[in-house]
Amino acid sequence: MRLFAIGTSFLVLTALSFAFPAAARATTLKSVQDRGELVCGVSTGIPGFSIVDEKGSWSGFDVDFCRAVAAAVLADPAKVRFVPLDADERFDALKTKKIDLLARNSTWTITSEADHDVAFVGVNYYDGQGFLVPKRRKITSALELGGSKVCLKNGTESEANLADFFEANRMKFEAVRFETLPEMLKAYETGGCDVVTSDVSQLYAGRLELSKKAEHAILADVISKEPLGPAVRQDDMQWFEIVKWVNYAMLNAEELGISSANIADAKQSKKPSVRRFVGAEGDSAKELGLSPDWAVNVVKAVGNYGESLDRNVGAKSPLGITRGLNHLWTMGGIQYAPPIR
């Protein structure tokens, strides 16, 4: 009887550890395939991650992931409907089945999962909270920010992280809250606050929007761990596995040297690991309920992990963020994927 006293945490772990009956497991995949469209939740606009242009075309690292999932399950990366979501509505949209998948700069925490009945499939971007300041203030360390008015985004973990940092260092601050990044940046430029705090990736994106971006600096200090990743509902183990392995497929492709440029050649490879990746050997596709070429379709659609990262937020993008922790484990980073076998 004591087993039942463990409560919600035990039930959640159990749900993610054991397979559901076939009918329950297939719900989301079947719905997406019957609909012929993946409904993917993204941000309302963060350059490099998810942004829509005047023609209604979406682009970004998170957008690529949505398209990768569509390529895996529908064999067509174009079959995605993007739903822009604010921070305070993103998890409810997933829980109420307004969307099939959330790919929206969301930090994986125990609270995010337990309070909203969602499950993160992995970390596809390691980030951390930092600070954007005017260069004229000649600030080189976050420890010099005592007494500042700090712009931050409402409905995120930013304020709690900020409070922890300032309290630990016996400094005071005044929080100025906003619903969107553009509102926050406007207030910053017009003197409504002295500094902006957010995930470092968002600070790089936000700086691009400033009228005199060269006059602003992003401090080297990182005050939190922000493991960002896609999330799904906890009630469908099959869908959880599919989305998880799409993420891992992009990482494995980069590690194996498979890219959008050579995927056709990879299909002719004699290497066992590559043959398993392209579906020429093994039964991973059957276990996921997908076609044998599901991973090939992913790479054809968006490239491997490094291609997508570099194109959207890295060295080949306007943001120019160094990979850092997001390098593969073989290159000094901590991105690591289980093998497809």
Side-chain angles (χ1 to χ4, degrees), residues 46-49 125 200-209 213 218 309-322:
I46 300 175
F49 286 86
Y125 192 87
V200 171
S201 62
Q202 292 194 35
L203 296 179
Y204 273 92
R207 186 169 60 173
L208 291 178
E209 306 301 310
K213 58 185 179 183
I218 297 168
L309 189 74
D310 288 346
R311 179 174 62 247
N312 291 295
V313 302
K316 297 180 181 179
S317 76
L319 276 67
I321 304 174
T322 57

Side-chain angles (χ1 to χ4, degrees), residues 298-328:
V298 167
V299 176
K300 281 184 178 179
V302 300
N304 62 38
Y305 177 82
E307 286 182 280
S308 178
L309 189 74
D310 288 346
R311 179 174 62 247
N312 291 295
V313 302
K316 297 180 181 179
S317 76
L319 276 67
I321 304 174
T322 57
R323 282 189 68 165
L325 295 177
N326 291 298
H327 267 300
L328 295 180

Side-chain angles (χ1 to χ4, degrees), residues 61 65 68 121-126 228-230 243-259 273 277 294-295 298-299 302-309 323-331 333-340:
F61 184 67
F65 188 78
V121 303
V123 179
N124 67 351
Y125 192 87
Y126 288 96
L228 308 180
V243 178
K244 177 178 70 175
W245 280 100
V246 168
N247 182 39
Y248 288 155
M250 293 177 68
L251 286 165
N252 273 306
E254 183 179 12
E255 185 174 338
L256 292 170
I258 300 171
S259 69
S273 57
F277 185 93
W294 69 273
V298 167
V299 176
V302 300
N304 62 38
Y305 177 82
E307 286 182 280
S308 178
L309 189 74
R323 282 189 68 165
L325 295 177
N326 291 298
H327 267 300
L328 295 180
W329 66 286
T330 53
M331 299 294 290
I334 59 175
Q335 285 290 3
Y336 184 104
I340 296 177

Side-chain angles (χ1 to χ4, degrees), residues 4 31-32 49 57 61 81 105 119 145 160 172 198 241 263 311 321 325 335 339:
F4 293 96
S31 296
V32 171
F49 286 86
S57 297
F61 184 67
R81 174 159 53 90
N105 295 81
L145 295 175
K172 294 183 178 180
S198 187
E241 292 290 333
I263 186 65
R311 179 174 62 247
I321 304 174
L325 295 177
Q335 285 290 3

Side-chain angles (χ1 to χ4, degrees), residues 14 35 95-96 109-110 129-130 194-195 198 228 238 271:
T14 301
R35 188 193 308 131
K95 183 176 181 180
T96 59
T109 69
I110 188 171
Q129 188 171 329
D194 309 310
V195 57
S198 187
L228 308 180
Q238 183 192 37
K271 294 181 179 180

Side-chain angles (χ1 to χ4, degrees), residues 37-96:
E37 178 184 63
L38 173 73
V39 183
C40 198
V42 292
S43 76
T44 53
I46 300 175
F49 286 86
S50 50
I51 194 79
V52 62
D53 64 20
E54 63 278 359
K55 296 181 180 179
S57 297
W58 285 89
S59 63
F61 184 67
D62 291 337
V63 169
D64 273 4
F65 188 78
C66 297
R67 291 193 171 124
V69 174
V73 302
L74 298 171
D76 188 344
K79 292 183 177 179
V80 183
R81 174 159 53 90
F82 296 101
V83 179
L85 299 166
D86 290 327
D88 58 357
E89 63 180 342
R90 54 188 164 173
F91 294 120
D92 284 340
L94 183 60
K95 183 176 181 180
T96 59

